[in-house]
Amino acid sequence: MTQHQSRNKQNQQNQQNDQPKTNPWWFALQLGFYAGLIWGGMRIISYELHFTVNVPGFLLEPFLLNSFLQSQQGRFAGWGAFILFSVLCSLLYTFTMRKRKGPWPGILYGILWWVILFVAVGPALGLVLPVTQTSYNSITTELCIFLLWGLFIGYTAATEFNDERLREPENEEESASDDAAHAAANASS
């Protein structure tokens, strides 16, 4: 290991020690809220544009009448339920998988929840129609939304708890320019 590499490693450790530690509870609550707000809003837009036949409040289906869930108030109630669902899922992800690096764990997490809600448990509880009775547009739309929802939760947690920012290309460019400057300084001395 060169002197420059050891100095970079020491600088990174000092930066990590100087940074305040993130409170995982508060982080997971905020992450879940914004995941539900953004992707719940996308579910409403998808329903309004007839990309999916599943009402935005499908999570409330056992508790409220479908006619209410199809109304404007029902859409907002469904949005609130999706936000609450996202907060709970974000807490679960943050406390079980936050150390996973990269986008793939989040993508798989979103797909897992889609399978649970739209293939396994959802049809059994009457939340949604079975996949065999649903249109391809609905299946694709819901799968994509849940995939992106899981990616949002997973990659945000990975970025916060694993210093994924250090792997970004701009840091590699800075490191390369630092290496070049250091090599030039060594060559002149």
Side-chain angles (χ1 to χ4, degrees), residues 41-145:
M42 288 303 297
R43 290 197 76 255
I44 291 173
I45 291 170
S46 298
Y47 181 75
E48 293 293 329
L49 294 175
H50 303 288
F51 292 145
T52 182
V53 296
N54 298 312
V55 293
F58 77 98
L59 294 170
L60 299 173
E61 194 77 40
F63 310 108
L64 300 172
L65 295 173
N66 192 291
S67 59
F68 172 74
L69 293 175
Q70 291 178 358
S71 70
Q72 194 65 30
Q73 294 86 3
R75 288 183 181 90
F76 285 116
W79 199 357
F82 194 76
I83 290 171
L84 181 61
F85 168 74
S86 296
V87 166
L88 295 173
C89 290
S90 176
L91 284 165
L92 178 66
Y93 188 92
T94 300
F95 286 103
T96 59
M97 297 173 52
R98 71 176 176 230
K99 292 296 182 179
R100 305 269 184 200
K101 294 182 179 182
W104 288 106
I107 290 171
L108 294 175
Y109 189 68
I111 292 171
L112 173 71
W113 275 108
W114 179 82
V115 168
I116 290 170
L117 291 173
F118 291 91
V119 178
V121 177
L125 294 177
L127 301 177
V128 293
L129 291 172
V131 175
T132 57
Q133 298 175 5
T134 307
S135 70
Y136 287 119
N137 284 343
S138 291
I139 293 169
T140 305
T141 300
E142 296 290 353
L143 179 61
C144 288
I145 288 174

Side-chain angles (χ1 to χ4, degrees), residues 5-70:
Q5 289 173 335
S6 64
R7 193 174 330 139
N8 279 345
K9 188 174 184 178
Q10 185 179 15
N11 286 341
Q12 287 177 352
Q13 289 173 349
N14 289 341
Q15 286 176 354
Q16 289 174 354
N17 292 337
D18 292 343
Q19 294 175 353
K21 299 293 180 197
T22 302
N23 179 345
W25 287 98
W26 182 242
F27 175 81
L29 290 173
Q30 289 178 329
L31 176 59
F33 174 78
Y34 287 109
L37 187 69
I38 293 166
W39 300 108
M42 288 303 297
R43 290 197 76 255
I44 291 173
I45 291 170
S46 298
Y47 181 75
E48 293 293 329
L49 294 175
H50 303 288
F51 292 145
T52 182
V53 296
N54 298 312
V55 293
F58 77 98
L59 294 170
L60 299 173
E61 194 77 40
F63 310 108
L64 300 172
L65 295 173
N66 192 291
S67 59
F68 172 74
L69 293 175
Q70 291 178 358

Side-chain angles (χ1 to χ4, degrees), residues 172-185:
E172 290 175 10
E173 291 170 6
E174 289 173 8
S175 178
S177 65
D178 288 346
D179 289 344
H182 185 54

